[in-house]
Amino acid sequence: MIRSKGEAGTGNIVEAVRHLRSITGDMRKLTQAGVIRGVRAVVDPAALGLTIEAQIDVKLRPTTTADAFETAIRQLPQVLTASLLTGSFDFSLSVVCTDRADLAAVTEFIRDKAGAQETYSRIVLRSIRVGEPAPREPSAESHPAPAAARRRTR
């Protein structure tokens, strides 16, 4: 739509604006229908000086609730995600930090102010995004009939 050397003809600009309005309208309809729950930008943390990516598993003190912990870690811009878990740790955090000292400060905050009893940290060497969840057709194997229904069909 845009000509070479950054020049754009009036017709090209009008066409681009019409196309953008059409896309915006479609996205609005899909959002209102609940198909699109949000739009995100994928940012390269290293481009922002965030060169250390780590996973921190957290076991909470017996007196710390999950809600209180979540409230406390919202103060940390380094925390990308926090997942409440089953198993020996209560949470798994994905964090990005400027350097090892920043990672140490995040870990100390989690222990001293957020209510962690224990943390276990690992630095990420590489990660890939495999995909997004896709809708699947229900199958008999994934949704077996209740026991009473199975007895009736025998």
Side-chain angles (χ1 to χ4, degrees), residues 12-95:
N12 288 338
I13 293 173
V14 170
E15 183 182 338
V17 169
R18 283 185 186 142
H19 185 67
L20 180 59
R21 284 184 181 159
S22 172
I23 291 171
T24 304
D26 291 345
M27 287 185 65
R28 187 179 313 110
K29 289 175 188 172
L30 290 170
T31 301
Q32 290 170 345
V35 175
I36 295 176
R37 296 189 320 193
V39 179
R40 67 183 175 127
V42 179
V43 177
D44 179 6
L48 300 174
L50 302 168
T51 57
I52 302 283
E53 183 179 347
Q55 299 292 318
I56 304 174
D57 291 337
V58 178
K59 183 180 291 188
L60 299 179
R61 293 181 197 132
T63 56
T64 304
T65 65
D67 288 340
F69 179 75
E70 290 172 4
T71 298
I73 62 169
R74 287 183 192 280
Q75 299 174 46
L76 296 170
Q78 297 93 331
V79 177
L80 299 178
T81 63
S83 301
L84 181 61
L85 307 172
T86 61
S88 57
F89 285 93
D90 299 303
F91 278 88
S92 180
L93 308 179
S94 176
V95 302

Side-chain angles (χ1 to χ4, degrees), residues 85-141:
L85 307 172
T86 61
S88 57
F89 285 93
D90 299 303
F91 278 88
S92 180
L93 308 179
S94 176
V95 302
V96 289
C97 299
T98 55
D99 53 26
R100 293 180 303 195
D102 190 27
L103 177 58
V106 167
T107 304
E108 290 304 314
F109 179 92
I110 290 167
R111 289 182 187 150
D112 296 341
K113 305 236 179 344
Q117 174 178 310
E118 179 182 345
T119 60
Y120 180 76
S121 302
R122 296 164 321 281
I123 292 177
V124 174
L125 300 177
R126 174 176 51 212
S127 63
I128 61 169
R129 185 164 191 96
V130 178
E132 296 288 333
R136 296 185 180 165
E137 292 296 319
S139 65
E141 294 81 33

